[in-house]
Amino acid sequence: MSEEIESHILKRYELIKKQGKGAYGVVYKAMDKKTKEIVALKKNFDAFQNVTDSKRTYREITLLQELNGHDNIIKLLNVIKADNEKDIYLIFEFMETDLHTVIRSNILEPIHKQFVMYQLLKALKFIHSAGIVHRDLKPSNVLINSDACIKVCDFGLARSVMSLTGKDIIMTDYVATRWYRAPEVLLGSTKYNCQADMWSVGCIFGELLNGKAMFPGTSTLNQLNKILEVTGKPNKEDILSIQSELAQNMIENINNFKQKNLKVLFPKATAIELDLLGRLLQFNPNKRINVLEALEHPYVADFHEQYAESEIECEKPIKLDINDKIKYTVKEYKQKLFDDLLKRKKEVRKKIMNMNMHLNYNSHSINNNKNNNIKNNYKNNININNKNNININNKNNININNKNNIN
């Protein structure tokens, strides 16, 4: 698990600063020597060490390429093999920090919190419309810049679901950091869907409002106990909605809890904030607000009404070529990934060649009847930047370098 960056990577990228290190890898702020663009260079340690890690690597890279293009999803710029055949290098667009750090720094104004929630819901609308459940939404997986623009990252645990056809596929329960897991996941359901992500959004929203995690459980049972203190004890209908044989037994074993009112837990929150929080943190996933309903909520109304056109959906459901029900070997995951990457690079080159041919043809087809003068161009052109970008005044920008920030 060496942090050293190999020479063939350093030929293309100049390291500027180490941003952080975790169990899965190390991230550097770097500059692309060719384009002069500032990027995030992530070295994934032992990406193909075992079947689990290989599957996670394959999922993340493949899904990020499929989801590429949304303003609020991190953009994967390049994937490069390591010489040792164990590690892999991922090049992302650069983001200054993550939401976990910013929340702990206590530098977000109410308008920033609204903007963050709006963007997170926008990203999830796109992700869920593709038939994808992220399954690991938490503040540290929401990257953020000083202009309060966010991007969702880390799709290593994401899965494709069949909810678009009215069917659920079998899912594993070991997903996400425990504190942000939905009740149905905690209770061992294998038939959960996109609503599990909405619970995680509720946990993130509560953390934005209160500055600390809502359900910091020390075990699954303790986690469930903390959840029931907020949601109350579920009725028969709620328990059946979980679709888990364990649900009834586990809930019956929890008796020593006292339900707490959200207003007491969040004394400074407005009625609108509490309403959205309550709708997100519904024990029953069928009663929980979905992403489309959340975007219609008054809390994000100011952004939604003005920029609804930017709330796009994925053109078609995303299905990975590899079947999750089949156990593949490390070699098979690795081979499939690099075959896909090579195929995609060839497709990109072909598109560029076709574009160049088209441009060359047009350059020789001069239209002598010049109707598009400067005046008409100015009159008819739409300023895309002004139209689609949400403008939070400069005075409201987050000071990422604030001395109170947690490093």
Side-chain angles (χ1 to χ4, degrees):
M1 292 189 180
S2 171
E3 294 181 23
E4 185 178 350
I5 305 300
E6 294 168 287
S7 59
H8 69 288
I9 304 296
L10 295 176
K11 286 180 181 178
R12 173 72 185 270
Y13 300 98
E14 179 183 335
L15 302 185
I16 298 173
K17 177 185 177 184
K18 186 167 88 170
Q19 292 293 107
K21 181 183 177 183
Y24 286 99
V26 60
V27 180
Y28 291 91
K29 181 180 181 180
M31 184 183 72
D32 186 328
K33 293 179 180 179
K34 186 176 181 181
T35 66
K36 306 303 178 183
E37 181 182 7
I38 299 298
V39 298
L41 189 156
K42 181 180 181 182
K43 180 181 182 180
N44 275 19
F45 300 140
D46 296 326
F48 302 100
Q49 184 177 22
N50 52 49
V51 171
T52 300
D53 289 342
S54 299
K55 183 188 290 187
R56 180 168 183 154
T57 301
Y58 174 81
R59 275 183 187 163
E60 175 163 33
I61 293 173
T62 304
L63 286 175
L64 279 172
Q65 289 187 319
E66 292 290 338
L67 294 167
N68 186 33
H70 193 280
D71 288 343
N72 302 118
I73 297 173
I74 194 68
K75 187 175 183 180
L76 179 62
L77 303 172
N78 200 0
V79 181
I80 308 173
K81 284 183 180 181
D83 287 338
N84 62 15
E85 295 292 330
K86 294 179 181 179
D87 305 327
I88 195 167
Y89 295 92
L90 306 181
I91 313 300
F92 296 97
E93 59 184 322
F94 181 76
M95 298 292 286
E96 294 170 74
T97 187
D98 61 61
L99 192 57
H100 172 82
T101 302
V102 169
I103 289 174
R104 295 301 178 274
S105 301
N106 194 28
I107 55 176
L108 292 174
E109 298 294 335
I111 185 66
H112 297 134
K113 296 173 185 179
Q114 284 179 282
F115 189 37
V116 166
M117 283 295 292
Y118 174 69
Q119 293 173 93
L120 182 54
L121 293 171
K122 267 179 61 180
L124 277 184
K125 179 180 178 180
F126 188 78
I127 293 166
H128 288 176
S129 70
I132 301 296
V133 188
H134 187 282
R135 303 204 306 169
D136 196 18
L137 287 174
K138 55 187 176 183
S140 59
N141 282 341
V142 179
L143 304 179
I144 187 168
N145 278 338
S146 56
D147 58 2
C149 289
I150 69 105
K151 293 181 187 288
V152 175
C153 68
D154 199 343
F155 285 79
L157 294 176
R159 284 286 297 273
S160 174
V161 296
M162 297 301 292
S163 57
L164 295 176
T165 60
K167 297 178 182 178
D168 291 315
I169 63 170
I170 302 301
M171 306 279 265
T172 56
D173 62 337
Y174 188 73
V175 297
T177 305
R178 183 190 298 119
W179 295 358
Y180 304 91
R181 289 183 199 169
E184 58 266 33
V185 180
L186 283 170
L187 290 166
S189 173
T190 58
K191 296 182 179 179
Y192 56 87
N193 55 28
C194 295
Q195 290 303 88
D197 281 346
M198 298 310 292
W199 176 273
S200 302
V201 172
C203 296
I204 293 171
F205 186 36
E207 203 161 327
L208 277 168
L209 295 176
N210 232 17
K212 59 183 180 181
M214 281 199 69
F215 306 113
T218 55
S219 67
T220 298
L221 203 61
N222 180 251
Q223 182 75 23
L224 194 57
N225 192 87
K226 290 181 180 296
I227 287 172
L228 296 184
E229 287 177 353
V230 171
T231 66
K233 199 159 189 176
N235 58 32
K236 187 176 181 180
E237 178 192 354
D238 296 333
I239 293 172
L240 288 175
S241 73
I242 300 298
Q243 301 185 68
S244 169
E245 294 179 2
L246 295 173
Q248 183 70 50
N249 292 333
M250 286 188 71
I251 290 170
E252 284 178 353
N253 289 329
I254 299 176
N255 294 310
N256 299 322
F257 74 90
K258 185 178 179 181
Q259 187 173 358
K260 301 174 183 177
N261 190 288
L262 283 177
K263 183 64 179 174
V264 175
L265 292 171
F266 298 87
K268 296 181 180 179
T270 66
I272 290 176
E273 290 169 338
L274 293 175
D275 182 74
L276 177 56
L277 187 61
R279 290 173 184 267
L280 287 165
L281 296 178
Q282 287 288 319
F283 183 93
N284 184 335
N286 299 326
K287 296 177 181 177
R288 200 176 300 150
I289 193 171
N290 64 37
V291 69
L292 298 180
E293 293 166 336
L295 280 166
E296 298 282 348
H297 194 274
Y299 181 72
V300 294
D302 288 345
F303 294 114
H304 172 65
E305 289 173 7
Q306 192 171 359
Y307 303 104
E309 289 182 7
S310 68
E311 297 165 15
I312 59 174
E313 293 187 349
C314 194
E315 293 180 357
K316 60 182 179 179
I318 294 172
K319 294 181 180 179
L320 299 182
D321 290 339
I322 281 185
N323 190 335
D324 270 314
K325 295 179 182 179
I326 299 175
K327 290 186 177 180
Y328 296 92
T329 64
V330 169
K331 185 178 179 181
E332 287 172 325
Y333 275 117
K334 187 190 293 187
Q335 188 62 50
K336 177 61 177 168
L337 174 61
F338 289 120
D339 284 349
D340 288 351
L341 288 171
L342 182 60
K343 180 181 177 182
R344 191 175 289 271
K345 284 183 178 180
K346 287 181 178 178
E347 289 174 351
V348 170
R349 288 196 195 103
K350 187 176 180 180
K351 286 181 180 178
I352 292 172
M353 286 177 64
N354 289 339
M355 286 175 64
N356 288 338
M357 288 176 64
H358 182 70
L359 288 171
N360 288 335
Y361 175 80
N362 286 342
S363 67
H364 292 291
S365 302
I366 302 171
N367 185 354
N368 292 323
N369 185 17
K370 297 181 179 180
N371 295 319
N372 297 323
N373 55 38
I374 295 173
K375 182 178 179 180
N376 286 337
N377 276 337
Y378 177 80
K379 180 179 179 181
N380 295 327
N381 281 356
I382 298 172
N383 189 335
I384 298 296
N385 290 330
N386 288 340
K387 181 180 179 183
N388 292 332
N389 286 349
I390 296 169
N391 181 22
I392 288 187
N393 294 331
N394 289 335
K395 66 179 181 179
N396 289 326
N397 278 6
I398 302 169
N399 183 1
I400 296 293
N401 297 317
N402 189 296
K403 64 181 179 179
N404 295 321
N405 278 4
I406 298 172
N407 293 322

